[in-house]
């Protein structure tokens, strides 16, 4: 490693310099570093981390997009709080935007208008804040998919998966509250929806609603309360989770894809200082720059167009921001079930979607533990799976995404109806059917696809890759020349582990006594067979098989 | 011929074509129209008479010979001239094919003929008449916005971009719709749109709404301050744009950052 | 990825065959790890001219950023805020010049810093791959034993397990202390009581047209028309206007009496004039997408569809029950008035709602 050698020589140079000066004169930078170390002990921290190695892959940077958009949201959000007035007090507008002249509105809405029209750059900051929020949640979802499909959530990273999950969950709700704050017609409709959803909760719904809104809808409290939750409570918790998330990333060291020189016991890549300081630091500016540019060219949430909120007014296309779109879909495709009995009403048309909404998140949160239990794998994993080599997991992930997309379509059913000239009722019915069928089809197709890719890998290993070179044999037959894969590639394609399904304990124990096998044990064995059975993995070729084929008839 | 085709890009070419086309239409009309229409008397009864002839050619097959209505089209007795002017003036009538809703199309009658048709239908029974210019102007945009959000936005969307109704029906976009047609739609309630008669929505309120619609659907008077409107259909298109362009660009950047710098060619 | 890139000329068939001995085999019978491939130099690593060119490129990015920041400040000073200032920019549209100029310059000034830094890292910083060892996260058995021993020692010294009285009272105290916090939240809002069951409508209350603010003559409501109404005692200037309109908003339609299928609904109307709550029974959106030919009314939020000719029964979508109807008649001047308040709660359903 040439760098180390050069470091050593330059160090030697400095020493000589010092001795020439004759005094133990330390550099100012060094002196201040010593001062800090004397109080905080930073040298030990720096020793472990300054040259920390990170592997290079574009998909490892998705999390950074989340981190940076979060920072952008905080920076722009702080700016917005300087001008925003989260009050539902009523005023008559006499500002610069003439189409709302003389209209009654809340102070929250008026201050949001003022930010948009009278504060120079206010509209830009508002738009950056909103676009960054849209990107933030989208990036979190994509980041989560990357972690899921590569199996990066396995031991020892399950807890970090939970932190990430909580960040996604909280990020969505904080976004929803931000959308509610300007008190325009659209955001008020969202708050109204929330009232209905809370009221549908059995037993305590009305109490929760009264306590949250400070009385009957809409009251005067909901926006100030949302404001505090939006700017203080949730971001505070998220900041804590974020720090914990990053500390764990550093502590666990990053995962890496299989490849020559990469093992479960090492990490191969480039050092934090200088390469990742420049790349990751630079990426922050790139993310900020792209979002600022998007905010310059594309309008987001033009609140002046919506008008102020009034509970008796509404505009069609009443949708939440995209990340709440799937819950909108859930509620739109739900049939209007309601149970009325013994003087009570159970509003299933709202409550069931609310429960499914929760379930869709719970399955994300518990999946690592579920998979760990099924596979019984207690080892650490730092080499990532290729999605094809874990067909069941990949299939389940795609099934979840399919469900999510179906619900997003359901949430935008009115726009699909107008833009594709379809009947809204037909789209809703299609989504109702697909809600059940879609994920199953997605799972089966994905799993088969993965198996096909595994087969192709095996072919490639045993028979080499197609070169595109056509050769004519002496007897006139044309064949395509296959090239043997180089060792690195052979290793990379077979580096993954293949587990055997868990076996049920013998029906009779060593003393000849019949053993009782619990139904949970049986279920687990079944699930394990689903993950690792012959229908879920193609045995990877051994070197012996390879040798047989290659020596048998030479290379094709 | 060659000379002619060489001049087809001349700035005046379009004008010449237009004049020819108008002349052709005019002479065709003169040939087809009953001869007594040549008399210069533009009295009301003549208008009605002309309208009736046009009606019998273009409308009677669905609405019945005496506008009494058939299974294919409703009775037109008492719908008034405003309804005719709206339906025919926006090309919705004559309808082309049955469907959930009759959409607007190319207008096939000229305004003179539409007026004649309107006069004929108006003569069948009292109904809302076509507005005069003074009924369409002088509205207040801010008040109109308030009324629009109470009465119209639920179907036509906050920016007049239109929206979905049940079973494939829809509320059309209001962009580019003339003040007269907006007025007529409000007063007559075409197709599934409810009417907003003067008895419950006074003339002034209609003027206000017209002023607001004209304001809000026109990008000169209602700029999209923040950038592209993305269709003015709310968060759905914003989300799509954010995913495809913002997140897409960022992933592209990430790929650039992580990509291997090309190695020097071994020579 | 790496090996794909490396698969250039030298890996063509003959060359590959030239490996001779075939792949290296690992102990378990699979292909062995050939180890990290040797580091290859980039152009900038070996060609000083290329390196200097890269350096200039990085500097250009940073310079561009400086220029854009100057542009940002200039835009801030030059362009005026406010809705009267707009300019057409192809293909974006008619936009605020201030927003556009600030956004573009800010975007460039930030992007250029990032691009410069990344270009610097990619071309001039060492791209040699390093290997760092991972260390097991789990502690060694000795450490584990030590921790357990320490814990037992501490636990023993505290007497926590032995002195049950202390333990139990402490758990009790800790369990009770959060109750204070729970109690403190009681004043967040009033108890629901019967608040959601009632509206501002009561017998004798006139209907007020939302468009005009005037009472409504029954004869003014035409077949096929749609009118919105609120109680005559409610004004937009009222302190509680928002809370009341959230429950009291009415939708007024007139059907041909023969078209009304539900007898009770017809009776509660006045010569075919029917008054329904405008608040959707699903989650409370103001429902008013009225199709006058089908008499269906659709909610723009979740597409619950109600048939106004049949007692506002739900015919599609997630709403669970019909829109409440207000019984109306006319007073002695022919103005529409409520003959009764709503007999069922309006708006979304809730647990205590009885019908």
């Amino acid at each position: 490693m040439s760098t180390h050698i050069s470091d050593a020589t330059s160090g030697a140079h400095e020493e000589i310099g010092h001795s020439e000066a004759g005094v133990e004169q330390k550099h100012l930078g060094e002196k201040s570093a010593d001062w800090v170390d004397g109080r905080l002990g930073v040298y030990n921290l720096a020793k472990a981390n300054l040259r920390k190695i990170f592997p290079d892959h574009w998909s490892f940077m998705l999390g950074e997009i989340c981190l940076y958009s979060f920072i952008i949201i905080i920076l722009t959000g702080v700016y917005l709080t300087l001008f925003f007035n989260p009050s539902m007090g009523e005023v008559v507008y006499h500002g610069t935007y003439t189409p709302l002249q003389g209209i009654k509105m809340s102070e929250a809405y008026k201050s949001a208008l003022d930010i948009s029209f009278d504060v120079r750059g206010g509209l830009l900051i508002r738009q950056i804040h909103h676009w960054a929020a849209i990107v933030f949640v989208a990036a979190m979802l994509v980041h989560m998919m990357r972690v899921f499909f590569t199996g990066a959530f396995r031991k020892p990273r399950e807890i970090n998966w939970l932190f990430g999950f909580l960040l996604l969950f909280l990020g969505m709700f904080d976004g929803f509250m931000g959308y509610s704050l300007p008190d325009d017609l659209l955001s008020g409709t969202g708050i109204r929806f929330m009232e209905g959803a809370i009221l549908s909760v059995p037993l305590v719904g009305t109490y929760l609603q009264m306590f949250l809104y400070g009385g009957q809808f809409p009251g005067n409290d909901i926006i100030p309360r949302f404001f505090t939750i939006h700017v203080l409570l949730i971001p505070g918790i998220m900041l804590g989770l974020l720090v914990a998330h990053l500390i764990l990333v550093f502590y666990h060291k990053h995962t890496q894809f299989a490849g020559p020189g990469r093992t479960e016991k090492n990490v191969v890549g480039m050092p934090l200082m200088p390469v990742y300081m420049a790349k990751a630091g630079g990426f922050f500016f790139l993310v900020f720059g792209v979002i600022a540019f998007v905010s310059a060219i594309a309008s987001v949430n033009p609140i002046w167009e919506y008008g102020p909120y009034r509970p008796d007014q509404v505009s069609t296309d009443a949708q939440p921001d995209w990340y709440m779109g799937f819950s909108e879909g859930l509620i739109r495709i739900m049939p209007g079930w309601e149970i009325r009995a013994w003087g009570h009403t159970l509003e299933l048309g709202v409550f069931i979607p609310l429960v499914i909404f929760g379930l869709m998140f719970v399955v994300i949160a518990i999946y690592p533990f579920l998979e760990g239990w099924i596979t019984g794998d207690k080892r650490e994993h730092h080499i990532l799976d290729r999605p094809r080599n874990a067909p069941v997991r990949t299939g389940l992930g795609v099934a979840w995404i399919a469900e999510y997309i179906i619900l997003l379509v359901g949430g935008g059913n009115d726009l699909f109806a107008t833009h594709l000239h379809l009947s809204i009722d037909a789209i809703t019915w299609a989504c109702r059917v697909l809600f059940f069928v879609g994920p199953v089809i997605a799972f089966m197709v994905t799993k088969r696809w993965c198996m096909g890719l595994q087969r192709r890998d095996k072919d490639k290993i045993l028979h080499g890759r197609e070169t595109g070179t056509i050769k004519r044999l002496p007897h006139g037959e044309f064949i395509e020349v296959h090239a043997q894969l180089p060792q690195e590639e052979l290793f990379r394609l077979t580096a993954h582990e293949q587990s055997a399904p868990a076996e049920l304990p013998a029906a009779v124990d060593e003393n000849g006594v019949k053993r009782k096998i619990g139904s949970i044990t049986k279920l687990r064995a079944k699930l394990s067979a689903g993950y690792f059975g012959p229908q879920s993995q193609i045995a990877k070729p051994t070197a012996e098989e390879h040798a047989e084929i290659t020596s048998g008839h030479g290379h094709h | 011929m060659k000379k002619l085709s060489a001049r087809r890009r001349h700035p005046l070419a379009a004008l010449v074509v237009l004049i020819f086309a108008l002349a052709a239409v005019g002479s065709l009309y003169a040939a087809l129209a009953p001869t007594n229409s040549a008399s210069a008397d533009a009295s009301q009864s003549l208008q009605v008479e002309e309208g009736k002839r046009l009606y019998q050619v273009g409308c009677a097959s669905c609405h019945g010979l005496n506008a009494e209505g058939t299974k294919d089209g409703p009775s037109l007795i008492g719908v008034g001239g405003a309804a005719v002017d709206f339906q025919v003036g926006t090309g919705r009538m004559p309808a082309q094919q049955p469907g959930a809703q009759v959409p607007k199309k190319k207008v096939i009658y000229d305004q003179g003929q539409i007026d004649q048709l309107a006069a004929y239908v108006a003569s069948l029974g009292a109904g809302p008449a076509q507005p005069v210019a003074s009924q369409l102007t002088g509205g207040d945009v801010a008040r109109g916005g308030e009324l629009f959000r109470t009465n119209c936005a639920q179907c036509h969307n906050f920016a007049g971009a239109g929206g979905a109704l049940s079973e494939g029906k829809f509320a059309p976009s209001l962009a580019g719709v003339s003040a007269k047609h907006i007025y007529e739609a409000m007063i007559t309630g075409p197709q599934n749109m409810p009417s907003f008669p003067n008895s419950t929505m006074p003339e002034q309120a209609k003027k206000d709404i017209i002023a607001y619609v004209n304001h809000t659907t026109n990008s000169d008077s209602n700029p999209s301050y923040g950038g592209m409107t993305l269709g003015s259909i709310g968060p759905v298109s914003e989300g799509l744009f954010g995913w495809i362009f913002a997140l897409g660009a960022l992933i592209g950047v990430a790929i650039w950052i992580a990509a291997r710098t090309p190695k020097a060619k071994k020579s | 990825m790496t090996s794909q890139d490396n698969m250039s000329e030298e890996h063509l068939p003959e060359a590959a065959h030239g490996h001779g001995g075939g792949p290296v085999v690992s102990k378990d019978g699979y292909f062995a790890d050939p180890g990290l491939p040797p580091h290859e130099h980039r152009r900038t690593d070996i060609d000083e001219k290329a390196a200097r060119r890269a350096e200039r490129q990085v500097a250009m990015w940073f310079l561009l950023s400086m220029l854009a920041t100057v542009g940002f400040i200039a835009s801030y000073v030059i362009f005026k805020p406010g809705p009267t200032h707009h300019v057409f920019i192809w293909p974006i549209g008619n936009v605020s010049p201030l927003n556009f100029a600030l956004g573009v310059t800010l975007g460039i000034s930030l992007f250029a810093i990032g691009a410069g830094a990344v270009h610097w890292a990619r071309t001039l910083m060492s791209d040699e791959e390093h290997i760092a060892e991972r260390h097991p996260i789990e502690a060694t058995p000795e450490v584990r034993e030590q921790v357990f021993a320490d814990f037992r020692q501490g636990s023993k010294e505290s007497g926590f397990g032995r002195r049950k009285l202390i333990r139990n009272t402490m758990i009790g105290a800790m369990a009770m202390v959060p109750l204070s916090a729970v109690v403190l939240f009681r004043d967040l809002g009033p108890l629901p009581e019967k608040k959601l069951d009632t509206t501002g409508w009561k017998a004798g209350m006139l209907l007020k047209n939302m468009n005009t603010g005037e009472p409504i003559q029954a004869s003014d409501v035409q077949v096929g028309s749609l009118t919105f109404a609120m109680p005559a005692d409610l004004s937009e200037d009222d302190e509680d206007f928002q809370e009341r309109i959230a429950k009291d908003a009415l939708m007024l339609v007139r059907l041909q009496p023969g078209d009304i299928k539900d007898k009770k609904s017809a009776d509660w109307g006045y010569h075919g004039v029917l008054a329904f709550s405008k608040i959707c029974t699903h989650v409370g959106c103001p429902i008013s997408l009225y199709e006058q030919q089908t008499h269906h009314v659709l909610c723009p939020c979740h597409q619950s569809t109600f048939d106004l000719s049949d007692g506002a029964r739900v015919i599609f979508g997630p709403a669970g029950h019909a829109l409440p109807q207000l019984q109306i008649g006319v007073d002695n001047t022919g103005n529409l008035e409520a003959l009764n308040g709503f007999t069922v709660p309006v708006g979304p359903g809730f647990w205590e709602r009885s019908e």
Side-chain angles (χ1 to χ4, degrees), chain A residues 22-72:
Chain A
V23 205
E24 277 292 318
Q25 197 65 51
K26 276 196 267 177
H27 194 269
L28 182 66
E30 282 180 21
K31 268 207 306 202
S32 28
D34 289 344
W35 190 91
V36 175
D37 183 57
R39 281 141 191 94
L40 300 174
V42 288
Y43 284 163
N44 280 321
L45 210 66
K47 183 182 152 222
N49 292 311
L50 262 189
R51 298 285 284 177
K52 192 162 189 86
I53 300 300
F54 283 93
D56 230 357
H57 193 272
W58 67 269
S59 70
F60 299 167
M61 314 200 79
L62 294 167
E64 281 179 48
I65 301 180
C66 311
L67 172 65
Y68 300 146
S69 41
F70 184 71
I71 295 173
I72 294 166

Side-chain angles (χ1 to χ4, degrees), chain C residues 45-101:
Chain C
D45 293 329
I46 50 175
D47 180 355
E48 188 51 33
K49 245 167 79 188
R52 274 204 301 274
R53 192 165 54 239
E55 183 182 359
R56 279 196 302 275
Q57 285 164 345
V58 173
M60 286 305 289
W61 277 115
F62 291 152
L63 270 175
L64 177 65
S65 168
M66 291 184 219
L67 284 177
T69 300
V70 173
F72 182 89
I73 296 167
S75 310
Y76 191 89
V77 176
I78 293 167
F79 296 110
K80 298 275 167 288
T84 50
H85 300 278
H86 46 87
V87 61
F88 186 85
I89 292 171
W90 188 87
I92 299 165
N94 198 10
V95 302
S96 153
L98 180 68
N99 185 68
F100 182 75

Side-chain angles (χ1 to χ4, degrees), chain A residues 328-340:
Chain A
E328 180 79 6
L330 271 172
I331 205 138
R332 284 189 182 199
I333 67 173
M334 179 72 200
W337 296 346
E338 185 178 275
I339 297 173
R340 269 167 283 174

